[in-house]
Amino acid sequence: MVAPGFVFGLVLPLLLRADASADVGFRFASYIDDYMVLQKEPAGAVIWGYGVSRATVTVTLCQDQETIMKKVTSVKAHSDSWMVVLDPVKPGGPYEVMAQQILGRKNFTLRIHGVLFGDVWLCSGQSNMQMTVSQIFNATSELSNTAAYQSVHILSVSLNQAQQELEDLAEVDLRWSKPTLENLGHGNFTYMSAVCWLFGRYLHDTLRYPVGLLSSSWAGTPIEAWSSGRSLKACGVPRQGSMPSDLETGPSEYSVLWNAMIHPLRNMTLKGVIWYQGESNVNFNRDLYNCTFPALVEDWRQTFHDGSQGQTERFFPFGFVQLSSYLSGATPNDGLPQIRWHQTADFGYVPNLRMPNTFMAVAMDLCDRNSPFGSTHPRDKQTLAYRLHLGARAVAYGAKLTFQGPLPQKIELLGDMGLLNLTYSQPIQVQRHDKIFEISCCSDHQCKWLPAPMDTFSAQTLALNVKSCRDSLAAVRYAWTAWPCEYKQCPLYHPTSALPAPPFTAFITNQIPGYRSKVAK
């Protein structure tokens, strides 16, 4: 039996279309609705919609029947749309938003209630972002844990694609709602994202004020579908290519999801974005991902900044998940580690010069070989969301905390000892693993990767045995496989935060003992 709220949510698109074509022609944008969360101070929230050309629209914010502010605008003739930017509002609520259209003697009024002010986060990507709470570990417990989070409100965008950029969403799957067992656990890969929900829940535990979460994701989709034409052009992406048939489950045509599921949200004032995507690019335009992903981040930032009249920060915080491990068959394939590297614009860490104000959750140790949804879809989304929220707290909110695992800051070749010494940026907790480090050994312009077993280690240094290379040592890499370790069993973690060291590759260009090398950029 379907709950009444879902029936209403499912027929909403029909109501929106009918309203848009009515004689009145006056409505809010599709996602401006009861129980929505608007971005709090210092930014101003944007309220917009459609009306009769040249009519006057007055937007009023009220609380307990008291008028807080009024904003007056007119309906633009060329687009039949109207927009106001509210003055910054402190976190809290509930409020009522009223919009009144006046044209001659005709007067029409719209109202939405239960509106909160807080931080608004957009969550997007493919199937791992689309997985629902009912699909993750401890689902029953998680679904019952909503009472303390009634000021974390959620919205889910319908799956739609378009050939041109849409001004408004064609459909909304789940209207702005308070969290319930039904709307968080509404089947597999439908309605609300588990990663999005858990991320917002962890944030709320710290912030203690409202959080708004919008989920807009589609399983089996490449980054090209979520990118605008201009960002793809900037990266020299070939004209429409064909994805391998074993990977394609969602639309792959360029820009169709950007057009229908992201661009229509551009007027919304956001705090930030989290992103979980990349599996569909392991064998599709993989070598361009170190451009297409940073370009997507930059383009989304510019678009949301412009669309919100400058209210969304120009370089708003953008978090993402570095891809987890999954079983890729018996054939060795470094496609997955390459995508992980390209997700950082080939720096190995974020934020960096090409990806400022970003944060990353490493997930290669959250593997799940027994997942009923396939190893591509690990069920531990709690640890993942927790790691993401640590990054958000540091990058978006300025908290002084450890939000990423240790990475080498100095690499020294001790040739006379047959050792490669790695000095890390943070303390390390080490568990021996003799095959996870590899060295590139070169002779006569031919190189091969050899295991580099761990030798000695201390609080912040680790020595690798490189005696197996009797020729030139060209590079070192860590965790450069599709499945580098079992669940939470990687060999290097930060000792107190339990954050895993990310994969890396570094070149060694000098064979003098004691030479210092930096991680490859």
Side-chain angles (χ1 to χ4, degrees):
M1 179 178 178
V2 180
F6 288 111
V7 174
F8 190 63
L10 292 170
V11 300
L12 175 64
L14 301 176
L15 297 180
L16 290 178
R17 292 196 188 99
D19 197 27
S21 62
D23 291 338
V24 175
F26 182 49
R27 66 175 178 90
F28 287 118
S30 59
Y31 58 80
I32 296 179
D33 207 344
D34 297 337
Y35 303 113
M36 79 175 301
V37 177
L38 294 171
Q39 183 58 42
K40 71 169 188 68
E41 62 178 7
V46 174
I47 302 291
W48 72 282
Y50 294 93
V52 177
S53 177
R54 297 186 176 85
T56 298
V57 176
T58 302
V59 176
T60 306
L61 180 70
C62 303
Q63 188 174 40
D64 298 327
Q65 299 184 336
E66 177 187 350
T67 298
I68 307 299
M69 74 180 78
K70 284 191 176 185
K71 297 290 178 179
V72 181
T73 188
S74 58
V75 180
K76 297 176 184 176
H78 68 281
S79 63
D80 291 334
S81 66
W82 54 268
M83 177 186 293
V84 299
V85 178
L86 300 181
D87 298 334
V89 177
K90 293 181 179 179
Y95 293 87
E96 180 182 75
V97 177
M98 180 175 68
Q100 185 178 47
Q101 175 182 269
I102 299 176
L103 184 63
R105 295 184 178 182
K106 294 183 178 180
N107 184 329
F108 301 98
T109 301
L110 303 170
R111 286 184 175 86
I112 57 172
H113 67 273
V115 176
L116 303 178
F117 283 83
D119 282 340
V120 182
W121 286 84
L122 170 62
C123 312
S124 188
Q126 54 181 111
S127 56
N128 270 303
M129 184 61 85
Q130 205 178 0
M131 282 179 73
T132 62
V133 179
S134 61
Q135 296 177 268
I136 67 175
F137 284 140
N138 303 317
T140 302
S141 173
E142 298 291 356
L143 288 171
S144 64
N145 186 21
T146 60
Y149 299 100
Q150 291 301 294
S151 60
V152 180
H153 292 186
I154 58 179
L155 176 145
S156 186
V157 174
S158 293
L159 305 185
N160 272 298
Q161 46 187 317
Q163 295 300 316
Q164 302 294 329
E165 291 179 343
L166 301 185
E167 297 304 306
D168 195 10
L169 295 172
E171 300 177 60
V172 175
D173 260 3
L174 175 65
R175 300 169 61 179
W176 279 108
S177 306
K178 297 179 181 181
T180 66
L181 185 151
E182 289 78 17
N183 59 31
L184 288 178
H186 190 72
N188 295 340
F189 302 104
T190 57
Y191 273 30
M192 195 57 199
S193 157
V195 172
C196 190
W197 161 249
L198 293 166
F199 171 79
R201 199 184 73 183
Y202 286 130
L203 273 185
H204 182 268
D205 287 341
T206 297
L207 300 174
R208 296 295 177 182
Y209 59 70
V211 175
L213 303 170
L214 295 93
S215 177
S216 184
S217 51
W218 196 327
T221 50
I223 196 170
E224 291 80 4
W226 297 99
S227 303
S228 71
R230 55 186 172 271
S231 66
L232 295 177
K233 184 178 180 181
C235 291
V237 176
R239 295 191 176 214
Q240 201 67 42
S242 296
M243 282 182 62
S245 58
D246 61 326
L247 290 179
E248 182 178 350
T249 58
S252 61
E253 192 173 350
Y254 294 178
S255 303
V256 292
L257 303 184
W258 158 260
N259 292 339
M261 297 176 65
I262 300 298
H263 186 268
L265 301 170
R266 75 197 184 287
N267 296 343
M268 178 178 290
T269 308
L270 296 178
K271 177 65 176 180
V273 169
I274 58 170
W275 171 260
Y276 194 161
Q277 190 278 335
E279 295 92 343
S280 288
N281 285 97
V282 170
N283 294 312
F284 181 66
N285 289 340
R286 177 178 66 233
D287 294 340
L288 292 174
Y289 205 89
N290 58 358
C291 180
T292 51
F293 183 40
L296 176 144
V297 174
E298 165 62 20
D299 189 56
W300 284 29
R301 284 172 164 169
Q302 185 69 63
T303 300
F304 277 90
H305 178 73
D306 293 344
S308 65
Q309 311 300 302
Q311 297 304 307
T312 297
E313 290 181 12
R314 174 62 181 84
F315 296 98
F316 62 75
F318 197 111
F320 64 95
V321 178
Q322 190 179 50
L323 295 188
S324 185
S325 302
Y326 59 85
L327 301 171
S328 57
T331 305
N333 180 8
D334 65 352
L336 190 51
Q338 284 184 27
I339 281 285
R340 291 185 185 125
W341 188 248
H342 291 338
Q343 285 182 290
T344 67
D346 296 352
F347 278 73
Y349 59 89
V350 297
N352 59 51
L353 292 175
R354 289 188 60 201
M355 300 179 69
N357 217 34
T358 57
F359 55 95
M360 173 178 78
V362 176
M364 65 180 181
D365 66 328
L366 301 181
C367 44
D368 185 0
R369 41 174 93 238
N370 298 316
S371 171
F373 314 104
S375 64
T376 313
H377 303 113
R379 289 166 289 176
D380 183 0
K381 295 297 193 267
Q382 292 90 334
T383 303
L384 182 66
Y386 185 80
R387 291 174 181 176
L388 265 179
H389 113 281
L390 289 178
R393 286 173 60 189
V395 172
Y397 298 97
K400 302 300 182 183
L401 51 79
T402 299
F403 68 99
Q404 50 193 350
L407 196 72
Q409 62 181 7
K410 183 173 68 174
I411 299 176
E412 299 173 293
L413 177 62
L414 308 176
D416 54 337
M417 300 173 64
L419 297 175
L420 190 65
N421 199 61
L422 282 60
T423 302
Y424 279 81
S425 57
Q426 301 170 337
I428 53 175
Q429 178 178 299
V430 181
Q431 180 176 317
R432 288 193 178 276
H433 189 308
D434 287 339
K435 294 184 178 180
I436 202 163
F437 281 98
E438 296 173 293
I439 50 173
S440 178
C441 191
C442 302
S443 176
D444 297 328
H445 305 291
Q446 290 187 335
C447 301
K448 60 181 178 179
W449 289 99
L450 302 174
M454 295 180 184
D455 194 280
T456 59
F457 57 86
S458 62
Q460 234 166 302
T461 63
L462 173 65
L464 303 178
N465 185 327
V466 295
K467 293 177 182 177
S468 60
C469 181
R470 301 182 182 277
D471 299 297
S472 296
L473 186 60
V476 59
R477 66 189 188 186
Y478 170 72
W480 208 263
T481 65
W483 192 286
C485 60
E486 293 303 319
Y487 179 73
K488 293 187 177 180
Q489 294 294 313
C490 277
L492 294 175
Y493 288 87
H494 183 269
T496 56
S497 68
L499 293 172
F504 76 87
T505 183
F507 300 108
I508 301 171
T509 56
N510 192 315
Q511 299 301 300
I512 300 173
Y515 171 74
R516 297 181 180 184
S517 174
K518 293 186 177 180
V519 173
K521 298 294 191 291

